[in-house]
């Protein structure tokens, strides 16, 4: 199953390397809505290809669990300055079994370093 991904950076300023603290879905959504730009489309496409290549959204059977569609906000960080970034936090608009499953699936995934950090990816999971 292919998913739609929208991407926006949380912070454009490189001086704010640690970036703003994001601990709730509504905080992540506010940053996502506030910070837009076409510069992020390349990373969005690459992340979508990564997700679809490895079938990440399908690997744990989350779609079969109870609950309606789930909106996720993946918060990507790069704290250790290694070769890869990390999906450090996954926030959702609900607390259904389906949402909990997707959180478990995506939290902790290593991915390509994004152009700005932290970086939020919004994902709609049907």
């Amino acid at each position: 199953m292919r998913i739609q991904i929208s991407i926006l950076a949380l912070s454009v300023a490189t001086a704010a390397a640690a970036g703003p603290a994001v601990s709730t879905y509504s905080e992540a959504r506010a940053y996502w809505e506030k910070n837009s730009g076409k510069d992020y489309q390349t990373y969005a496409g690459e992340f979508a290809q990564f997700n679809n290549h490895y079938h990440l959204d399908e690997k744990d059977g989350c779609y079969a669990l109870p609950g309606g569609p789930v909106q996720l906000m993946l918060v990507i960080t790069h704290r250790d300055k290694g070769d890869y970034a990390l999906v450090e936090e996954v926030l959702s608009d609900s607390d259904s079994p389906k949402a909990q499953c997707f959180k478990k699936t995506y939290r902790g995934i290593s991915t390509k370093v994004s152009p700005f950090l932290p970086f939020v990816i919004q994902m709609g999971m049907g």
Side-chain angles (χ1 to χ4, degrees):
M1 172 174 270
R2 302 256 183 223
I3 55 175
Q4 291 183 320
I5 298 176
S6 301
I7 295 192
L8 299 172
L10 291 179
S11 176
V12 175
T14 55
V22 178
S23 60
T24 67
Y25 178 84
S26 57
E27 288 173 346
R29 180 141 182 107
Y31 281 113
W32 180 80
E33 289 174 347
K34 182 179 177 183
N35 299 291
S36 65
K38 61 184 176 185
D39 296 338
Y40 310 109
Q41 295 309 310
T42 299
Y43 188 81
E46 290 170 353
F47 189 87
Q49 288 176 356
F50 168 75
N51 182 77
N52 293 333
H53 177 77
Y54 290 104
H55 303 281
L56 298 176
D57 60 318
E58 298 173 13
K59 75 175 195 153
D60 293 327
C62 301
Y63 288 111
L65 295 173
V70 175
Q71 293 295 316
L72 301 175
M73 294 289 184
L74 280 60
V75 180
I76 297 173
T77 62
H78 188 223
R79 297 187 190 279
D80 67 1
K81 306 303 179 207
D83 292 338
Y84 297 98
L86 178 71
V87 177
E88 186 170 308
E89 188 60 69
V90 181
L91 307 162
S92 66
D93 65 344
S94 73
D95 197 33
S96 68
K98 183 183 287 188
Q100 292 301 316
C101 182
F102 281 122
K103 286 180 179 184
K104 182 181 172 190
T105 296
Y106 284 98
R107 188 176 289 122
I109 289 178
S110 294
T111 188
K112 179 180 175 183
V113 177
S114 57
F116 302 102
L117 299 164
F119 204 88
V120 168
I121 297 176
Q122 180 188 38
M123 299 175 71
M125 314 307 276

